[in-house]
């Protein structure tokens, strides 16, 4: 079975995430500190100016009679402060301005003898600093700043806007990083195609380090492809050289007069020829010249069963009369033939069944032999593995039959599952994805 590749957080995503996190943290902390420092600076300046103005205005108000104080309050109002005289006491001080109030009293100690109350009055543009200072006769000099100071919400909004801008800039930077690392993605795709007919040299682009990796990959790919081509050519030559004397041996065996000896010789020659064929099929490299085509898989399975029955072998087919599917006909036929031959070698009867659902085509080959120990169901799929003690008859061949089946199924992007039947025998199940 082909390993499942699980999606993960890619290199580009990690680099961008790290840079984004570091930048946002640094920028956010700087913005927060700047906002706090700015607010403290504004409030310090505002508090000092307010303290000076209150001392002067309070003294003038105390020196004038009650009837003139309202007019005097208007006259001491400035572009920065609106003043008013009232007899009723103001609300208690706002705890949010306790620090500013303490600084006002510290800068002008004379105000400590008169109660001073300060509060924030919310407005659309922020908050106004308002309050009142008591006069010696118990009346109050009210005041309010003409300009609003920033509220917590406004500071938070500015911080969020600044962070949003930083995030957009980092996203653009991430796009540039992704473009820079694009050759790495192409390299991963080329490595995944390596060993197939679609493999091709990769364009040498990107940063210097990435280009060096691509150059090394292209050289490695060329060397391996040459080795595979040389091996395939050598195997073809060896196969031809071996089968030539086998053919001559088969012809000479026909002249043997004793029927039993002639049949034994011909059986040995046929077995040797089958071993050579399986070895060449398995070692022929991963290059797959056969292309998938739309064909009738049900007819293929039924034909295999009919051919075996014509030779006096107990093989039956169960399934639909027709089932169109896109597959490699020669490869899948070899796989099913190997499973049928394997079942007949270890059992007396083989059943080929075919079924389909919305997304999968399932072809099963079942026999009535002794089966395989559960602990060895996976190991028999490995090349050159023969479980002589697993079946009741002597095992022939090189142990490549199931390995060839697995390779053919993997080329179809499918899966092969072996299991023991409850009533006895082996069940080989081929699951193929159905194109929708």
């Amino acid at each position: 079975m082909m390993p499942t590749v699980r999606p993960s957080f890619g290199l580009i995503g990690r680099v961008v995430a790290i840079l984004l996190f570091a930048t946002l943290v640094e920028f956010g902390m700087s913005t927060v500190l700047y906002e706090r420092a700015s607010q403290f600076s504004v409030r310090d300046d505002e508090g000092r100016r307010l303290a000076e103005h209150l001392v002067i205005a309070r003294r003038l108000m105390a020196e004038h009679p009650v009837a003139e104080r309202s007019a005097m309050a208007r006259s001491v109002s400035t572009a920065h402060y609106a003043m008013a005289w009232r007899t009723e006491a103001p609300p208690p001080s706002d705890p949010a301005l306790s620090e500013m109030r303490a600084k006002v009293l510290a800068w002008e100690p004379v105000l400590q003898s008169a109660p001073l109350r300060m509060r924030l009055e919310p407005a659309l543009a922020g908050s106004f600093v308002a309050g009142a200072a008591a006069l010696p006769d118990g009346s109050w000099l009210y005041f309010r700043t003409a300009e609003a100071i920033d509220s917590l919400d406004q500071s938070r909004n500015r911080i969020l806007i600044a962070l949003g801008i930083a995030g957009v800039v980092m996203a653009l930077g991430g796009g540039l990083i992704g473009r820079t690392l694009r050759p790495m993605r192409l390299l991963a795709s080329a490595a995944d195609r390596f060993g197939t007919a679609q493999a091709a040299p990769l364009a040498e682009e990107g940063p210097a380090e990435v280009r060096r990796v691509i150059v090394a990959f292209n050289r490695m790919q060329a060397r391996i492809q040459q080795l595979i081509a040389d091996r395939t050519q050598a195997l073809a030559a060896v196969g031809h050289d071996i089968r030539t004397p086998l053919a001559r041996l088969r012809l000479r065996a026909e002249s043997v007069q004793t029927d039993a000896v002639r049949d034994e010789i011909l059986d040995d020659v046929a077995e040797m020829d089958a071993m050579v064929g399986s070895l060449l099929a398995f070692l022929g490299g991963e290059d797959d010249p056969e292309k998938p085509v739309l064909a009738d898989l049900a007819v293929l399975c039924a034909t295999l069963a009919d051919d075996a029955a014509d030779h006096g072998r107990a093989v039956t087919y169960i399934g639909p009369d027709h089932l169109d599917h896109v597959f490699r006909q020669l490869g899948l036929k070899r796989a099913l033939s190997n499973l049928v031959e394997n079942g007949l070698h270890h059992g007396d009867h083989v059943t080929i069944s075919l079924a389909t659902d919305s997304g999968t085509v399932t072809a099963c080959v079942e026999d009535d032999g002794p089966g395989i120990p559960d602990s060895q169901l996976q190991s028999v799929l490995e090349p050159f593995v023969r479980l002589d003690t697993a079946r009741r008859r002597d095992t022939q061949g090189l142990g490549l039959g199931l390995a060839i089946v697995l390779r053919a199924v993997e080329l179809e992007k499918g899966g092969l599952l072996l299991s023991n039947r409850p009533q006895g025998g082996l069940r080989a199940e081929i699951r193929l994805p159905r194109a929708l």
Side-chain angles (χ1 to χ4, degrees), residues 242-255:
I242 292 178
R243 279 176 165 157
T244 298
L246 286 178
R248 291 198 301 265
L249 185 59
R250 184 181 294 106
L251 291 175
R252 292 171 181 173
E254 296 294 341
S255 62

Side-chain angles (χ1 to χ4, degrees), residues 176-198:
L176 294 177
I177 294 175
R179 186 176 183 86
T180 302
L181 296 180
R182 175 177 172 272
M184 295 297 293
R185 296 196 299 270
L186 297 178
L187 180 61
S189 298
D192 188 56
R193 294 192 305 269
F194 181 70
T196 66
Q198 294 79 26

Side-chain angles (χ1 to χ4, degrees), residues 77-254:
S77 297
T78 66
H80 298 289
Y81 302 104
M83 314 296 287
W85 176 80
R86 298 173 188 170
T87 56
E88 64 271 13
S93 295
D94 191 340
L97 293 178
S98 59
E99 185 176 353
M100 185 176 180
R101 180 177 178 278
K103 289 184 177 181
V104 170
L105 296 177
W107 287 322
E108 297 294 343
V110 69
L111 295 175
Q112 294 181 2
S113 61
L116 176 64
R117 299 179 182 180
M118 299 177 63
R119 67 184 186 279
L120 287 174
E121 291 184 356
L124 295 178
S127 298
F128 293 99
V129 177
L135 298 177
D137 62 354
S139 60
W140 294 82
L141 175 61
Y142 280 76
F143 62 88
R144 194 187 75 163
T145 58
E147 297 178 355
I149 63 174
D150 289 339
S151 64
L152 180 61
D153 291 336
Q154 287 181 312
S155 299
R156 184 185 300 113
N157 291 338
R158 282 206 300 269
I159 292 174
L160 292 177
I161 292 174
L163 291 177
I165 295 174
V168 171
V169 173
M170 283 304 303
L172 295 176
L176 294 177
I177 294 175
R179 186 176 183 86
T180 302
L181 296 180
R182 175 177 172 272
M184 295 297 293
R185 296 196 299 270
L186 297 178
L187 180 61
S189 298
D192 188 56
R193 294 192 305 269
F194 181 70
T196 66
Q198 294 79 26
L202 188 62
E204 300 173 6
E205 59 182 9
E209 295 80 1
V210 177
R211 288 200 303 270
R212 285 197 292 269
V213 174
I214 293 175
V215 169
F217 174 81
N218 286 336
R219 291 175 179 173
M220 178 197 69
Q221 180 175 243
R223 289 194 299 267
I224 295 178
Q225 286 177 333
Q226 186 60 46
L227 288 174
I228 294 176
D230 293 343
R231 186 188 68 173
T232 303
Q233 185 177 3
L235 285 172
V238 170
H240 177 271
D241 293 344
I242 292 178
R243 279 176 165 157
T244 298
L246 286 178
R248 291 198 301 265
L249 185 59
R250 184 181 294 106
L251 291 175
R252 292 171 181 173
E254 296 294 341

Side-chain angles (χ1 to χ4, degrees), residues 47-68:
R48 187 181 296 276
R49 188 166 54 186
L50 176 61
E52 296 174 353
H53 194 81
L54 281 178
V55 170
I56 297 173
R58 183 175 178 273
R59 183 181 301 166
L60 292 174
M61 297 291 292
E63 293 175 353
H64 284 73
V66 173
E68 300 177 1

Side-chain angles (χ1 to χ4, degrees), residues 358-427:
S358 58
T360 306
V361 175
T362 303
C364 293
V365 178
E366 299 174 303
D367 63 54
D368 57 355
I372 296 175
D374 293 337
S375 60
Q376 296 176 321
L377 285 173
Q378 291 300 318
S379 60
V380 295
L381 298 176
E382 299 176 5
F384 305 105
V385 172
R386 296 187 303 176
L387 304 180
D388 293 339
T389 60
R391 303 290 191 121
R392 62 181 175 84
R393 300 182 184 178
D394 295 334
T395 302
Q396 300 178 358
L398 296 174
L400 294 174
L402 292 178
I404 294 174
V405 174
L406 180 60
R407 175 174 293 180
V409 172
E410 288 177 346
L411 284 176
E412 303 295 334
K413 308 300 182 183
L416 174 63
L417 178 64
L418 299 181
S419 61
N420 288 304
R421 303 167 64 205
Q423 65 271 35
L426 183 68
R427 173 186 175 91

